[in-house]
PDB file of all heavy atoms in Angstrom:
ATOM      1  N   PRO A   1       2.502 -17.022 -23.252  1.00 40.00           N
ATOM      2  CA  PRO A   1       2.802 -16.788 -24.657  1.00 40.00           C
ATOM      3  C   PRO A   1       4.307 -16.871 -24.888  1.00 40.00           C
ATOM      4  O   PRO A   1       5.097 -16.261 -24.166  1.00 40.00           O
ATOM      5  CB  PRO A   1       2.284 -15.356 -24.898  1.00 40.00           C
ATOM      6  CG  PRO A   1       1.281 -15.141 -23.815  1.00 40.00           C
ATOM      7  CD  PRO A   1       1.782 -15.912 -22.642  1.00 40.00           C
ATOM      8  N   ALA A   2       4.727 -17.621 -25.884  1.00 40.00           N
ATOM      9  CA  ALA A   2       6.146 -17.851 -26.130  1.00 40.00           C
ATOM     10  C   ALA A   2       6.894 -16.575 -26.466  1.00 40.00           C
ATOM     11  O   ALA A   2       8.092 -16.469 -26.252  1.00 40.00           O
ATOM     12  CB  ALA A   2       6.310 -18.856 -27.274  1.00 40.00           C
ATOM     13  N   ARG A   3       6.218 -15.589 -27.007  1.00 42.00           N
ATOM     14  CA  ARG A   3       6.907 -14.393 -27.456  1.00 42.00           C
ATOM     15  C   ARG A   3       7.247 -13.438 -26.315  1.00 42.00           C
ATOM     16  O   ARG A   3       7.954 -12.461 -26.515  1.00 42.00           O
ATOM     17  CB  ARG A   3       6.074 -13.643 -28.486  1.00 42.00           C
ATOM     18  CG  ARG A   3       4.762 -13.105 -27.989  1.00 42.00           C
ATOM     19  CD  ARG A   3       3.939 -12.605 -29.163  1.00 42.00           C
ATOM     20  NE  ARG A   3       2.697 -11.996 -28.752  1.00 42.00           N
ATOM     21  CZ  ARG A   3       2.561 -10.745 -28.393  1.00 42.00           C
ATOM     22  NH1 ARG A   3       3.610  -9.956 -28.370  1.00 42.00           N
ATOM     23  NH2 ARG A   3       1.400 -10.254 -28.064  1.00 42.00           N
ATOM     24  N   LEU A   4       6.761 -13.674 -25.077  1.00 37.00           N
ATOM     25  CA  LEU A   4       7.097 -12.813 -23.952  1.00 37.00           C
ATOM     26  C   LEU A   4       8.426 -13.235 -23.346  1.00 37.00           C
ATOM     27  O   LEU A   4       8.656 -14.418 -23.108  1.00 37.00           O
ATOM     28  CB  LEU A   4       6.026 -12.888 -22.865  1.00 37.00           C
ATOM     29  CG  LEU A   4       4.725 -12.133 -23.142  1.00 37.00           C
ATOM     30  CD1 LEU A   4       3.764 -12.360 -21.982  1.00 37.00           C
ATOM     31  CD2 LEU A   4       4.981 -10.661 -23.333  1.00 37.00           C
ATOM     32  N   PRO A   5       9.332 -12.292 -23.086  1.00 45.00           N
ATOM     33  CA  PRO A   5      10.595 -12.634 -22.428  1.00 45.00           C
ATOM     34  C   PRO A   5      10.336 -13.091 -21.006  1.00 45.00           C
ATOM     35  O   PRO A   5       9.349 -12.712 -20.382  1.00 45.00           O
ATOM     36  CB  PRO A   5      11.368 -11.305 -22.451  1.00 45.00           C
ATOM     37  CG  PRO A   5      10.318 -10.257 -22.537  1.00 45.00           C
ATOM     38  CD  PRO A   5       9.212 -10.854 -23.355  1.00 45.00           C
ATOM     39  N   PRO A   6      11.221 -13.944 -20.443  1.00 42.00           N
ATOM     40  CA  PRO A   6      11.009 -14.499 -19.101  1.00 42.00           C
ATOM     41  C   PRO A   6      10.807 -13.442 -18.032  1.00 42.00           C
ATOM     42  O   PRO A   6      10.036 -13.632 -17.107  1.00 42.00           O
ATOM     43  CB  PRO A   6      12.294 -15.306 -18.857  1.00 42.00           C
ATOM     44  CG  PRO A   6      12.796 -15.636 -20.218  1.00 42.00           C
ATOM     45  CD  PRO A   6      12.438 -14.465 -21.075  1.00 42.00           C
ATOM     46  N   GLU A   7      11.568 -12.300 -18.135  1.00 42.00           N
ATOM     47  CA  GLU A   7      11.460 -11.299 -17.098  1.00 42.00           C
ATOM     48  C   GLU A   7      10.077 -10.679 -17.008  1.00 42.00           C
ATOM     49  O   GLU A   7       9.718 -10.070 -15.991  1.00 42.00           O
ATOM     50  CB  GLU A   7      12.499 -10.177 -17.309  1.00 42.00           C
ATOM     51  CG  GLU A   7      12.366  -9.458 -18.646  1.00 42.00           C
ATOM     52  CD  GLU A   7      13.235 -10.090 -19.712  1.00 42.00           C
ATOM     53  OE1 GLU A   7      13.578 -11.272 -19.561  1.00 42.00           O
ATOM     54  OE2 GLU A   7      13.573  -9.400 -20.688  1.00 42.00           O
ATOM     55  N   CYS A   8       9.269 -10.780 -18.064  1.00 43.00           N
ATOM     56  CA  CYS A   8       7.911 -10.222 -18.053  1.00 43.00           C
ATOM     57  C   CYS A   8       6.925 -11.154 -17.344  1.00 43.00           C
ATOM     58  O   CYS A   8       5.775 -10.795 -17.142  1.00 43.00           O
ATOM     59  CB  CYS A   8       7.428  -9.963 -19.479  1.00 43.00           C
ATOM     60  SG  CYS A   8       8.272  -8.588 -20.278  1.00 43.00           S
ATOM     61  N   LEU A   9       7.408 -12.381 -17.026  1.00 36.00           N
ATOM     62  CA  LEU A   9       6.497 -13.362 -16.463  1.00 36.00           C
ATOM     63  C   LEU A   9       6.613 -13.457 -14.951  1.00 36.00           C
ATOM     64  O   LEU A   9       5.905 -14.226 -14.322  1.00 36.00           O
ATOM     65  CB  LEU A   9       6.795 -14.745 -17.069  1.00 36.00           C
ATOM     66  CG  LEU A   9       6.732 -14.791 -18.600  1.00 36.00           C
ATOM     67  CD1 LEU A   9       7.001 -16.202 -19.079  1.00 36.00           C
ATOM     68  CD2 LEU A   9       5.391 -14.296 -19.103  1.00 36.00           C
ATOM     69  N   SER A  10       7.504 -12.700 -14.346  1.00 40.00           N
ATOM     70  CA  SER A  10       7.652 -12.743 -12.898  1.00 40.00           C
ATOM     71  C   SER A  10       6.464 -12.066 -12.234  1.00 40.00           C
ATOM     72  O   SER A  10       5.834 -11.187 -12.815  1.00 40.00           O
ATOM     73  CB  SER A  10       8.939 -12.038 -12.474  1.00 40.00           C
ATOM     74  OG  SER A  10       8.876 -10.672 -12.794  1.00 40.00           O
ATOM     75  N   ALA A  11       6.160 -12.475 -10.995  1.00 38.00           N
ATOM     76  CA  ALA A  11       5.011 -11.911 -10.287  1.00 38.00           C
ATOM     77  C   ALA A  11       5.097 -10.406 -10.136  1.00 38.00           C
ATOM     78  O   ALA A  11       4.112  -9.705 -10.378  1.00 38.00           O
ATOM     79  CB  ALA A  11       4.871 -12.579  -8.919  1.00 38.00           C
ATOM     80  N   PRO A  12       6.259  -9.825  -9.732  1.00 42.00           N
ATOM     81  CA  PRO A  12       6.331  -8.373  -9.609  1.00 42.00           C
ATOM     82  C   PRO A  12       6.057  -7.661 -10.907  1.00 42.00           C
ATOM     83  O   PRO A  12       5.372  -6.646 -10.952  1.00 42.00           O
ATOM     84  CB  PRO A  12       7.765  -8.127  -9.112  1.00 42.00           C
ATOM     85  CG  PRO A  12       8.166  -9.417  -8.454  1.00 42.00           C
ATOM     86  CD  PRO A  12       7.497 -10.472  -9.265  1.00 42.00           C
ATOM     87  N   SER A  13       6.590  -8.189 -12.025  1.00 43.00           N
ATOM     88  CA  SER A  13       6.384  -7.538 -13.316  1.00 43.00           C
ATOM     89  C   SER A  13       4.926  -7.557 -13.722  1.00 43.00           C
ATOM     90  O   SER A  13       4.386  -6.590 -14.243  1.00 43.00           O
ATOM     91  CB  SER A  13       7.242  -8.224 -14.392  1.00 43.00           C
ATOM     92  OG  SER A  13       8.615  -8.070 -14.117  1.00 43.00           O
ATOM     93  N   ILE A  14       4.283  -8.698 -13.471  1.00 41.00           N
ATOM     94  CA  ILE A  14       2.873  -8.816 -13.822  1.00 41.00           C
ATOM     95  C   ILE A  14       2.044  -7.869 -12.968  1.00 41.00           C
ATOM     96  O   ILE A  14       1.123  -7.205 -13.455  1.00 41.00           O
ATOM     97  CB  ILE A  14       2.398 -10.274 -13.637  1.00 41.00           C
ATOM     98  CG1 ILE A  14       3.096 -11.180 -14.665  1.00 41.00           C
ATOM     99  CG2 ILE A  14       0.884 -10.370 -13.794  1.00 41.00           C
ATOM    100  CD1 ILE A  14       2.841 -12.645 -14.444  1.00 41.00           C
ATOM    101  N   THR A  15       2.365  -7.760 -11.663  1.00 47.00           N
ATOM    102  CA  THR A  15       1.633  -6.863 -10.777  1.00 47.00           C
ATOM    103  C   THR A  15       1.766  -5.419 -11.236  1.00 47.00           C
ATOM    104  O   THR A  15       0.773  -4.687 -11.299  1.00 47.00           O
ATOM    105  CB  THR A  15       2.164  -6.986  -9.336  1.00 47.00           C
ATOM    106  OG1 THR A  15       1.991  -8.334  -8.902  1.00 47.00           O
ATOM    107  CG2 THR A  15       1.395  -6.062  -8.405  1.00 47.00           C
ATOM    108  N   VAL A  16       2.984  -4.994 -11.559  1.00 52.00           N
ATOM    109  CA  VAL A  16       3.202  -3.636 -12.041  1.00 52.00           C
ATOM    110  C   VAL A  16       2.432  -3.395 -13.321  1.00 52.00           C
ATOM    111  O   VAL A  16       1.828  -2.340 -13.523  1.00 52.00           O
ATOM    112  CB  VAL A  16       4.711  -3.380 -12.257  1.00 52.00           C
ATOM    113  CG1 VAL A  16       4.923  -2.069 -12.995  1.00 52.00           C
ATOM    114  CG2 VAL A  16       5.441  -3.356 -10.926  1.00 52.00           C
ATOM    115  N   ALA A  17       2.431  -4.399 -14.208  1.00 59.00           N
ATOM    116  CA  ALA A  17       1.724  -4.252 -15.483  1.00 59.00           C
ATOM    117  C   ALA A  17       0.228  -4.076 -15.259  1.00 59.00           C
ATOM    118  O   ALA A  17      -0.414  -3.254 -15.918  1.00 59.00           O
ATOM    119  CB  ALA A  17       1.984  -5.465 -16.368  1.00 59.00           C
ATOM    120  N   VAL A  18      -0.339  -4.847 -14.316  1.00 61.00           N
ATOM    121  CA  VAL A  18      -1.777  -4.752 -14.045  1.00 61.00           C
ATOM    122  C   VAL A  18      -2.122  -3.381 -13.461  1.00 61.00           C
ATOM    123  O   VAL A  18      -3.086  -2.727 -13.882  1.00 61.00           O
ATOM    124  CB  VAL A  18      -2.213  -5.873 -13.079  1.00 61.00           C
ATOM    125  CG1 VAL A  18      -3.643  -5.646 -12.617  1.00 61.00           C
ATOM    126  CG2 VAL A  18      -2.090  -7.231 -13.752  1.00 61.00           C
ATOM    127  N   VAL A  19      -1.327  -2.920 -12.481  1.00 59.00           N
ATOM    128  CA  VAL A  19      -1.568  -1.608 -11.879  1.00 59.00           C
ATOM    129  C   VAL A  19      -1.428  -0.513 -12.923  1.00 59.00           C
ATOM    130  O   VAL A  19      -2.239   0.415 -13.000  1.00 59.00           O
ATOM    131  CB  VAL A  19      -0.587  -1.368 -10.699  1.00 59.00           C
ATOM    132  CG1 VAL A  19      -0.702   0.066 -10.208  1.00 59.00           C
ATOM    133  CG2 VAL A  19      -0.860  -2.348  -9.576  1.00 59.00           C
ATOM    134  N   SER A  20      -0.380  -0.626 -13.753  1.00 76.00           N
ATOM    135  CA  SER A  20      -0.164   0.375 -14.794  1.00 76.00           C
ATOM    136  C   SER A  20      -1.308   0.386 -15.793  1.00 76.00           C
ATOM    137  O   SER A  20      -1.731   1.444 -16.256  1.00 76.00           O
ATOM    138  CB  SER A  20       1.164   0.105 -15.520  1.00 76.00           C
ATOM    139  OG  SER A  20       2.255   0.247 -14.646  1.00 76.00           O
ATOM    140  N   ARG A  21      -1.811  -0.800 -16.119  1.00 80.00           N
ATOM    141  CA  ARG A  21      -2.910  -0.872 -17.082  1.00 80.00           C
ATOM    142  C   ARG A  21      -4.139  -0.132 -16.559  1.00 80.00           C
ATOM    143  O   ARG A  21      -4.812   0.573 -17.319  1.00 80.00           O
ATOM    144  CB  ARG A  21      -3.238  -2.341 -17.382  1.00 80.00           C
ATOM    145  CG  ARG A  21      -4.266  -2.513 -18.484  1.00 80.00           C
ATOM    146  CD  ARG A  21      -4.377  -3.962 -18.921  1.00 80.00           C
ATOM    147  NE  ARG A  21      -3.260  -4.343 -19.780  1.00 80.00           N
ATOM    148  CZ  ARG A  21      -2.275  -5.150 -19.431  1.00 80.00           C
ATOM    149  NH1 ARG A  21      -2.251  -5.676 -18.212  1.00 80.00           N
ATOM    150  NH2 ARG A  21      -1.307  -5.448 -20.264  1.00 80.00           N
ATOM    151  N   TRP A  22      -4.436  -0.265 -15.287  1.00 87.00           N
ATOM    152  CA  TRP A  22      -5.570   0.455 -14.706  1.00 87.00           C
ATOM    153  C   TRP A  22      -5.332   1.962 -14.770  1.00 87.00           C
ATOM    154  O   TRP A  22      -6.236   2.738 -15.069  1.00 87.00           O
ATOM    155  CB  TRP A  22      -5.802   0.013 -13.262  1.00 87.00           C
ATOM    156  CG  TRP A  22      -6.614  -1.250 -13.151  1.00 87.00           C
ATOM    157  CD1 TRP A  22      -6.153  -2.495 -12.852  1.00 87.00           C
ATOM    158  CD2 TRP A  22      -8.014  -1.399 -13.367  1.00 87.00           C
ATOM    159  NE1 TRP A  22      -7.174  -3.413 -12.860  1.00 87.00           N
ATOM    160  CE2 TRP A  22      -8.331  -2.758 -13.179  1.00 87.00           C
ATOM    161  CE3 TRP A  22      -9.041  -0.516 -13.705  1.00 87.00           C
ATOM    162  CZ2 TRP A  22      -9.629  -3.259 -13.309  1.00 87.00           C
ATOM    163  CZ3 TRP A  22     -10.343  -1.001 -13.836  1.00 87.00           C
ATOM    164  CH2 TRP A  22     -10.619  -2.362 -13.641  1.00 87.00           C
ATOM    165  N   GLY A  23      -4.102   2.373 -14.470  1.00 89.00           N
ATOM    166  CA  GLY A  23      -3.779   3.796 -14.547  1.00 89.00           C
ATOM    167  C   GLY A  23      -3.901   4.337 -15.957  1.00 89.00           C
ATOM    168  O   GLY A  23      -4.369   5.459 -16.167  1.00 89.00           O
ATOM    169  N   LEU A  24      -3.489   3.524 -16.924  1.00 90.00           N
ATOM    170  CA  LEU A  24      -3.581   3.965 -18.311  1.00 90.00           C
ATOM    171  C   LEU A  24      -5.030   4.053 -18.777  1.00 90.00           C
ATOM    172  O   LEU A  24      -5.384   4.931 -19.568  1.00 90.00           O
ATOM    173  CB  LEU A  24      -2.785   3.012 -19.211  1.00 90.00           C
ATOM    174  CG  LEU A  24      -1.282   2.965 -18.942  1.00 90.00           C
ATOM    175  CD1 LEU A  24      -0.603   2.002 -19.909  1.00 90.00           C
ATOM    176  CD2 LEU A  24      -0.663   4.350 -19.049  1.00 90.00           C
ATOM    177  N   TRP A  25      -5.871   3.152 -18.275  1.00 92.00           N
ATOM    178  CA  TRP A  25      -7.291   3.251 -18.615  1.00 92.00           C
ATOM    179  C   TRP A  25      -7.901   4.538 -18.072  1.00 92.00           C
ATOM    180  O   TRP A  25      -8.810   5.108 -18.672  1.00 92.00           O
ATOM    181  CB  TRP A  25      -8.062   2.031 -18.110  1.00 92.00           C
ATOM    182  CG  TRP A  25      -8.017   0.865 -19.043  1.00 92.00           C
ATOM    183  CD1 TRP A  25      -7.447  -0.347 -18.838  1.00 92.00           C
ATOM    184  CD2 TRP A  25      -8.557   0.822 -20.373  1.00 92.00           C
ATOM    185  NE1 TRP A  25      -7.583  -1.140 -19.947  1.00 92.00           N
ATOM    186  CE2 TRP A  25      -8.257  -0.448 -20.901  1.00 92.00           C
ATOM    187  CE3 TRP A  25      -9.235   1.742 -21.169  1.00 92.00           C
ATOM    188  CZ2 TRP A  25      -8.634  -0.826 -22.183  1.00 92.00           C
ATOM    189  CZ3 TRP A  25      -9.615   1.366 -22.448  1.00 92.00           C
ATOM    190  CH2 TRP A  25      -9.319   0.099 -22.945  1.00 92.00           C
ATOM    191  N   CYS A  26      -7.366   4.999 -16.943  1.00 94.00           N
ATOM    192  CA  CYS A  26      -7.814   6.291 -16.423  1.00 94.00           C
ATOM    193  C   CYS A  26      -7.509   7.390 -17.442  1.00 94.00           C
ATOM    194  O   CYS A  26      -8.316   8.306 -17.655  1.00 94.00           O
ATOM    195  CB  CYS A  26      -7.110   6.603 -15.095  1.00 94.00           C
ATOM    196  SG  CYS A  26      -7.668   5.595 -13.705  1.00 94.00           S
ATOM    197  N   GLY A  27      -6.333   7.310 -18.070  1.00 94.00           N
ATOM    198  CA  GLY A  27      -5.980   8.283 -19.095  1.00 94.00           C
ATOM    199  C   GLY A  27      -6.850   8.176 -20.337  1.00 94.00           C
ATOM    200  O   GLY A  27      -7.159   9.178 -20.984  1.00 94.00           O
ATOM    201  N   VAL A  28      -7.265   6.959 -20.648  1.00 95.00           N
ATOM    202  CA  VAL A  28      -8.117   6.753 -21.832  1.00 95.00           C
ATOM    203  C   VAL A  28      -9.475   7.422 -21.655  1.00 95.00           C
ATOM    204  O   VAL A  28      -9.996   8.054 -22.578  1.00 95.00           O
ATOM    205  CB  VAL A  28      -8.301   5.243 -22.107  1.00 95.00           C
ATOM    206  CG1 VAL A  28      -9.355   5.017 -23.195  1.00 95.00           C
ATOM    207  CG2 VAL A  28      -6.975   4.612 -22.531  1.00 95.00           C
ATOM    208  N   VAL A  29     -10.057   7.300 -20.461  1.00 96.00           N
ATOM    209  CA  VAL A  29     -11.419   7.802 -20.252  1.00 96.00           C
ATOM    210  C   VAL A  29     -11.465   9.272 -19.828  1.00 96.00           C
ATOM    211  O   VAL A  29     -12.524   9.901 -19.905  1.00 96.00           O
ATOM    212  CB  VAL A  29     -12.167   6.951 -19.204  1.00 96.00           C
ATOM    213  CG1 VAL A  29     -12.197   5.496 -19.610  1.00 96.00           C
ATOM    214  CG2 VAL A  29     -11.525   7.095 -17.825  1.00 96.00           C
ATOM    215  N   ALA A  30     -10.340   9.814 -19.376  1.00 96.00           N
ATOM    216  CA  ALA A  30     -10.344  11.194 -18.863  1.00 96.00           C
ATOM    217  C   ALA A  30     -10.811  12.200 -19.905  1.00 96.00           C
ATOM    218  O   ALA A  30     -11.698  13.034 -19.646  1.00 96.00           O
ATOM    219  CB  ALA A  30      -8.946  11.574 -18.362  1.00 96.00           C
ATOM    220  N   GLY A  31     -10.221  12.147 -21.098  1.00 94.00           N
ATOM    221  CA  GLY A  31     -10.586  13.098 -22.151  1.00 94.00           C
ATOM    222  C   GLY A  31     -12.034  12.999 -22.583  1.00 94.00           C
ATOM    223  O   GLY A  31     -12.762  14.003 -22.595  1.00 94.00           O
ATOM    224  N   PRO A  32     -12.503  11.783 -22.948  1.00 95.00           N
ATOM    225  CA  PRO A  32     -13.901  11.642 -23.347  1.00 95.00           C
ATOM    226  C   PRO A  32     -14.887  12.073 -22.257  1.00 95.00           C
ATOM    227  O   PRO A  32     -15.944  12.631 -22.559  1.00 95.00           O
ATOM    228  CB  PRO A  32     -14.032  10.140 -23.639  1.00 95.00           C
ATOM    229  CG  PRO A  32     -12.660   9.736 -24.054  1.00 95.00           C
ATOM    230  CD  PRO A  32     -11.742  10.554 -23.193  1.00 95.00           C
ATOM    231  N   LEU A  33     -14.540  11.817 -20.989  1.00 96.00           N
ATOM    232  CA  LEU A  33     -15.417  12.236 -19.899  1.00 96.00           C
ATOM    233  C   LEU A  33     -15.573  13.746 -19.888  1.00 96.00           C
ATOM    234  O   LEU A  33     -16.701  14.268 -19.818  1.00 96.00           O
ATOM    235  CB  LEU A  33     -14.838  11.770 -18.559  1.00 96.00           C
ATOM    236  CG  LEU A  33     -15.528  12.333 -17.309  1.00 96.00           C
ATOM    237  CD1 LEU A  33     -16.963  11.821 -17.217  1.00 96.00           C
ATOM    238  CD2 LEU A  33     -14.741  11.968 -16.046  1.00 96.00           C
ATOM    239  N   LEU A  34     -14.456  14.465 -19.954  1.00 94.00           N
ATOM    240  CA  LEU A  34     -14.501  15.920 -19.916  1.00 94.00           C
ATOM    241  C   LEU A  34     -15.279  16.492 -21.095  1.00 94.00           C
ATOM    242  O   LEU A  34     -16.139  17.368 -20.923  1.00 94.00           O
ATOM    243  CB  LEU A  34     -13.074  16.474 -19.917  1.00 94.00           C
ATOM    244  CG  LEU A  34     -12.939  17.999 -19.858  1.00 94.00           C
ATOM    245  CD1 LEU A  34     -13.598  18.549 -18.590  1.00 94.00           C
ATOM    246  CD2 LEU A  34     -11.473  18.409 -19.927  1.00 94.00           C
ATOM    247  N   VAL A  35     -15.002  15.985 -22.289  1.00 94.00           N
ATOM    248  CA  VAL A  35     -15.652  16.511 -23.489  1.00 94.00           C
ATOM    249  C   VAL A  35     -17.142  16.152 -23.500  1.00 94.00           C
ATOM    250  O   VAL A  35     -17.988  16.977 -23.870  1.00 94.00           O
ATOM    251  CB  VAL A  35     -14.965  15.972 -24.760  1.00 94.00           C
ATOM    252  CG1 VAL A  35     -15.737  16.391 -26.007  1.00 94.00           C
ATOM    253  CG2 VAL A  35     -13.528  16.481 -24.839  1.00 94.00           C
ATOM    254  N   THR A  36     -17.481  14.936 -23.085  1.00 94.00           N
ATOM    255  CA  THR A  36     -18.884  14.509 -23.078  1.00 94.00           C
ATOM    256  C   THR A  36     -19.717  15.371 -22.136  1.00 94.00           C
ATOM    257  O   THR A  36     -20.824  15.815 -22.482  1.00 94.00           O
ATOM    258  CB  THR A  36     -18.995  13.035 -22.656  1.00 94.00           C
ATOM    259  OG1 THR A  36     -18.293  12.219 -23.596  1.00 94.00           O
ATOM    260  CG2 THR A  36     -20.461  12.600 -22.608  1.00 94.00           C
ATOM    261  N   VAL A  37     -19.181  15.614 -20.933  1.00 92.00           N
ATOM    262  CA  VAL A  37     -19.911  16.456 -19.974  1.00 92.00           C
ATOM    263  C   VAL A  37     -20.007  17.879 -20.498  1.00 92.00           C
ATOM    264  O   VAL A  37     -21.050  18.536 -20.356  1.00 92.00           O
ATOM    265  CB  VAL A  37     -19.223  16.430 -18.597  1.00 92.00           C
ATOM    266  CG1 VAL A  37     -19.895  17.429 -17.658  1.00 92.00           C
ATOM    267  CG2 VAL A  37     -19.286  15.033 -17.999  1.00 92.00           C
ATOM    268  N   LEU A  38     -18.940  18.367 -21.122  1.00 89.00           N
ATOM    269  CA  LEU A  38     -18.965  19.716 -21.689  1.00 89.00           C
ATOM    270  C   LEU A  38     -20.054  19.856 -22.746  1.00 89.00           C
ATOM    271  O   LEU A  38     -20.841  20.816 -22.725  1.00 89.00           O
ATOM    272  CB  LEU A  38     -17.604  20.052 -22.299  1.00 89.00           C
ATOM    273  CG  LEU A  38     -17.520  21.357 -23.101  1.00 89.00           C
ATOM    274  CD1 LEU A  38     -17.848  22.550 -22.225  1.00 89.00           C
ATOM    275  CD2 LEU A  38     -16.138  21.505 -23.724  1.00 89.00           C
ATOM    276  N   VAL A  39     -20.118  18.884 -23.648  1.00 87.00           N
ATOM    277  CA  VAL A  39     -21.144  18.918 -24.696  1.00 87.00           C
ATOM    278  C   VAL A  39     -22.533  18.808 -24.081  1.00 87.00           C
ATOM    279  O   VAL A  39     -23.474  19.530 -24.465  1.00 87.00           O
ATOM    280  CB  VAL A  39     -20.910  17.781 -25.712  1.00 87.00           C
ATOM    281  CG1 VAL A  39     -22.082  17.692 -26.694  1.00 87.00           C
ATOM    282  CG2 VAL A  39     -19.611  18.006 -26.478  1.00 87.00           C
ATOM    283  N   GLY A  40     -22.681  17.901 -23.106  1.00 89.00           N
ATOM    284  CA  GLY A  40     -23.975  17.741 -22.459  1.00 89.00           C
ATOM    285  C   GLY A  40     -24.418  19.005 -21.739  1.00 89.00           C
ATOM    286  O   GLY A  40     -25.583  19.399 -21.822  1.00 89.00           O
ATOM    287  N   GLN A  41     -23.475  19.655 -21.053  1.00 84.00           N
ATOM    288  CA  GLN A  41     -23.778  20.905 -20.367  1.00 84.00           C
ATOM    289  C   GLN A  41     -24.187  21.991 -21.364  1.00 84.00           C
ATOM    290  O   GLN A  41     -25.114  22.779 -21.118  1.00 84.00           O
ATOM    291  CB  GLN A  41     -22.552  21.375 -19.583  1.00 84.00           C
ATOM    292  CG  GLN A  41     -22.266  20.568 -18.335  1.00 84.00           C
ATOM    293  CD  GLN A  41     -22.993  21.132 -17.131  1.00 84.00           C
ATOM    294  OE1 GLN A  41     -24.202  20.997 -16.996  1.00 84.00           O
ATOM    295  NE2 GLN A  41     -22.245  21.783 -16.265  1.00 84.00           N
ATOM    296  N   ALA A  42     -23.455  22.043 -22.497  1.00 81.00           N
ATOM    297  CA  ALA A  42     -23.744  23.063 -23.507  1.00 81.00           C
ATOM    298  C   ALA A  42     -25.145  22.864 -24.097  1.00 81.00           C
ATOM    299  O   ALA A  42     -25.875  23.834 -24.347  1.00 81.00           O
ATOM    300  CB  ALA A  42     -22.697  23.014 -24.609  1.00 81.00           C
ATOM    301  N   LEU A  43     -25.518  21.603 -24.305  1.00 83.00           N
ATOM    302  CA  LEU A  43     -26.843  21.322 -24.862  1.00 83.00           C
ATOM    303  C   LEU A  43     -27.934  21.547 -23.823  1.00 83.00           C
ATOM    304  O   LEU A  43     -29.052  21.973 -24.160  1.00 83.00           O
ATOM    305  CB  LEU A  43     -26.893  19.871 -25.369  1.00 83.00           C
ATOM    306  CG  LEU A  43     -25.987  19.540 -26.556  1.00 83.00           C
ATOM    307  CD1 LEU A  43     -26.060  18.047 -26.880  1.00 83.00           C
ATOM    308  CD2 LEU A  43     -26.375  20.364 -27.785  1.00 83.00           C
TER     309      LEU A  43
END
């Protein structure tokens, strides 16, 4: 994509971005997991 700066296209940067993205997805699902199990347990 033309709008990405060159430094974002290097292999190390892309690798860090991919690893970070997986870690961030962990943060996305953590809250819903806890609340869903809590509600399920309560019911």
Side-chain angles (χ1 to χ4, degrees):
R3 64 190 184 85
L4 284 178
E7 59 268 23
C8 289
L9 304 182
S10 64
S13 296
I14 293 172
T15 300
V16 170
V18 171
V19 172
S20 296
R21 186 170 283 109
W22 277 104
L24 297 181
W25 275 115
C26 288
V28 171
V29 303
L33 170 66
L34 181 59
V35 174
T36 299
V37 174
L38 172 61
V39 172
Q41 287 271 73
L43 294 176

